[in-house]
Amino acid sequence: MKEKIWLSSPHMGESEFKYVQEAFDTNWIAPLGPHVNGFEQDIASYLGEGVHVAALSAGTAALHLALVILGVQAGDEVICQSMTFSASANPIAYQGATPVFVDSEAQTWNMSPRYLEAAILDRVERTGKKPKAIIVVHLYGMPAQMDRIMEIANRHAIPVVEDAAEALGSSYRGQKLGTFGAMSILSFNGNKIITTSGGGALVSKNEDWVKKARFLATQARDAAPHYQHSHIGYNYRMSNVCAAIGRGQMEVLKERVEKRRNNYAFYKRSLAPYPAIRFADEPNESYYANRWLSAILVEDDATGDLTREAIRLGLEKENIESRPLWKPMHLQPVFETAPFYGDGTSERLFYQGLCLPSGSNLTEDDLNRVVEQVRGVVERTSR
Ligand SMILES: *Cc1c(COP(=O)(O)O)cnc(C)c1O
C-alpha cells in the first residue's frame, strides 16, 4: 500500500517545541499562563483593526460564548449559513434557540445576501421578532460577500458573528477575515490551517465582550477569596501548553497560507484540460482566500459515470483521503424542522463538490499522485 495522503494534517514549524518546553520548564501546565496571553497578543496584532482576542478550548466554545454574550436564549432565532460544518449551528441549539438556515450563492459558496434578506423579512413577518444574530461562514477560507452581508445586517441592526474557523490568513478588501463581525471565531483544530492540537479563539473590537468571554470561560468566578458565582460559567479556556504550540504556529502562518494557495494553483493548472472539473476562483481582487482546502466541482457529464463520488473512490483506492463538501445543515436529520431560505445552490454544490488533499506539508510527489488519480478517473469514465 502506498503511503497515506491526508486531506489536511498538522504541520509544525521550528519553534513550537521550544515554547512547549518553556511551559514545562516553568510548570505553567494549566488553562492560563504566559503563552495564553502571548498567543492572544500574537493573533490580535496579526489581525489588526484594534481587535481583542480570548484564547479558548475550541472554535465551537468560542461560538457558544459569542451567542451567550449576545443574549441568545430559548425561543430566539439565529440565522446561520446552511452550508457549513455542524459546529457553526450546534451552539444555537445549546442555547435552546432555533437556527434559520440560509443558502449559499454560487460564486463564493458562502451565505447568499439575497436569501439572507429574504429570511430576515420573512422571520419578522411570521414571528414579529428579529433574529438575534447572523452566523456567516468563510468556507475553505474563501471570503463571503462581506460588503453586502454587512450592509443588510447593519440595515436591520442584527449583529454578525463571523465564523472564520477556516479562514485565518484570508482577507476581503485588504481587511483580515475575523475582524468584520461584532464577534468572530477562529479554530485551531488539528486539521485547520494552523493548529494548537485543539483550540479556538473569540475575536472582537469590543474589549468588554472579550473580557466577558474570558470570565465566562473560566467558570464565571466573581472577585472573592472563596468561590462565588452570579453567572452560569463554562470551562472553555485554552491550556498554556496548547497556546505554546499556537505561538510557534503563528510564526509560520504566512508560509502555510502561501503553500496552500500554491496547492490550489497546482491543481487548477494540472486539471485545466478537463472542463468537467471546475474551480471556484476568487471573484475579483477584493477576495484573498487562504485556500485552507482546495475543492473541485465535478460537472455532470452525459454518461453519468463521472461524479465526485467516482473520483473520491478512485483516490481512496490509492490511499488518498478526499472529502465531499460540507453537507448543508438544512439537509441534516438533526435540523430537519428548522426553517430554510434558498434555491438549492448549496445542495448542488454538495453533490458536485470534493475537497482534495490540501495540507501545507504535501510534497510535489504527493500532489502529482493526487492529480494522476483524478486524471485517471476522468479519462476512464469519459471514454
Ligand atoms: C472547525 C470548524 C468549527 C469548529 O471549530 P472547533 O475548534 O473544531 O470546535 C466551526 N466552524 C467551522 C466552519 C469549522 O470548520
Side-chain angles (χ1 to χ4, degrees):
M1 197 63 156
K2 282 197 189 139
E3 212 183 314
K4 175 100 177 178
I5 298 180
W6 298 97
L7 188 71
S8 177
S9 70
H11 185 185
M12 292 298 112
E14 308 262 302
S15 310
E16 288 82 348
F17 201 69
K18 181 184 79 197
Y19 293 132
V20 171
Q21 183 77 48
E22 213 173 284
F24 274 70
D25 290 345
T26 53
N27 205 30
W28 277 107
I29 313 293
L32 81 167
H35 284 318
V36 176
N37 305 339
F39 187 41
E40 288 176 345
Q41 280 157 21
D42 292 346
I43 301 168
S45 42
Y46 176 78
L47 293 175
E49 308 293 331
V51 295
H52 304 270
V53 175
L56 301 169
S57 56
T60 312
L63 205 44
H64 187 196
L65 291 184
L67 298 185
V68 170
I69 290 166
L70 290 175
V72 173
Q73 296 175 5
D76 288 336
E77 292 188 337
V78 173
I79 291 182
C80 183
Q81 184 166 319
S82 183
M83 188 166 210
T84 185
F85 180 41
S86 63
S88 306
N90 283 336
I92 302 169
Y94 301 167
Q95 288 306 96
T98 304
V100 172
F101 292 115
V102 168
D103 213 345
S104 295
E105 35 80 14
Q107 259 193 320
T108 72
W109 304 355
N110 294 311
M111 185 179 277
S112 153
R114 181 168 145 230
Y115 287 107
L116 168 62
E117 176 113 59
I120 295 170
L121 295 175
D122 193 61
R123 295 326 290 172
V124 170
E125 188 173 312
R126 278 170 197 265
T127 68
K129 235 170 59 168
K130 266 194 309 198
K132 263 285 177 59
I134 298 165
I135 301 172
V136 58
V137 190
H138 308 291
L139 287 180
Y140 310 116
M142 174 65 84
Q145 294 183 3
M146 291 312 284
D147 273 1
R148 294 182 62 198
I149 287 168
M150 295 309 295
E151 186 276 316
I152 294 165
N154 290 337
R155 184 152 40 78
H156 292 278
I158 303 173
V160 167
V161 177
E162 210 190 334
D163 180 344
E166 304 177 1
L168 182 61
S170 301
S171 57
Y172 180 73
R173 292 197 195 286
Q175 182 180 335
K176 296 266 172 15
L177 299 189
T179 64
F180 285 86
M183 276 182 269
S184 305
I185 72 107
L186 300 170
S187 168
F188 309 109
N189 205 338
N191 59 356
K192 296 285 159 59
I193 191 143
I194 61 166
T195 182
T196 59
S197 73
L202 183 141
V203 178
S204 179
K205 289 177 193 161
N206 184 330
E207 190 172 10
D208 290 341
W209 281 348
V210 173
K211 282 186 177 155
K212 186 153 186 200
R214 292 193 193 112
F215 165 76
L216 292 171
T218 47
Q219 307 288 19
R221 288 173 59 185
D222 295 340
H226 52 277
Y227 281 84
Q228 174 156 314
H229 307 275
S230 29
H231 291 272
I232 295 294
Y234 304 86
N235 185 4
Y236 279 171
R237 199 72 164 121
M238 179 177 277
S239 143
N240 193 57
V241 179
C242 295
I245 303 173
R247 296 204 75 185
Q249 289 270 277
M250 283 306 286
E251 292 176 6
V252 292
L253 173 59
K254 190 161 170 277
E255 288 160 51
R256 299 295 182 263
V257 172
E258 278 165 18
K259 172 64 170 114
R260 292 203 186 228
R261 285 177 60 85
N262 285 342
N263 290 341
Y264 176 85
F266 176 85
Y267 286 134
K268 197 180 163 195
R269 200 164 57 237
S270 310
L271 297 169
Y274 306 99
I277 309 279
R278 295 201 300 114
F279 289 81
D281 283 333
E282 290 148 338
N284 58 52
E285 61 284 358
S286 299
Y287 295 76
Y288 183 84
N290 69 5
R291 296 294 179 190
W292 170 57
L293 296 185
S294 290
I296 54 172
L297 293 179
V298 184
E299 293 272 297
D300 300 337
D301 76 335
T303 65
D305 291 336
L306 180 60
T307 59
R308 71 109 151 102
E309 203 45 20
I311 294 179
R312 193 186 69 78
L313 292 171
L315 290 169
E316 191 176 75
K317 261 209 299 226
E318 287 298 309
N319 213 16
I320 298 170
E321 185 184 30
S322 66
R323 198 170 294 157
L325 300 195
W326 299 120
K327 181 173 181 175
M329 290 303 115
H330 73 279
L331 302 176
Q332 300 284 359
V334 73
F335 292 124
E336 217 164 49
T337 57
F340 169 69
Y341 295 84
D343 59 7
T345 299
S346 61
E347 190 166 353
R348 178 180 58 78
L349 291 169
F350 169 61
Y351 285 113
Q352 296 187 340
L354 188 69
C355 299
L356 299 177
S358 303
S360 47
N361 47 8
L362 292 177
T363 64
E364 220 174 290
D365 280 352
D366 293 336
L367 290 169
N368 279 319
R369 251 177 78 198
V370 175
V371 163
E372 207 178 298
Q373 284 314 309
V374 174
R375 275 192 191 130
V377 177
V378 175
E379 281 166 12
R380 266 198 311 281
T381 51
S382 51
R383 210 178 305 154

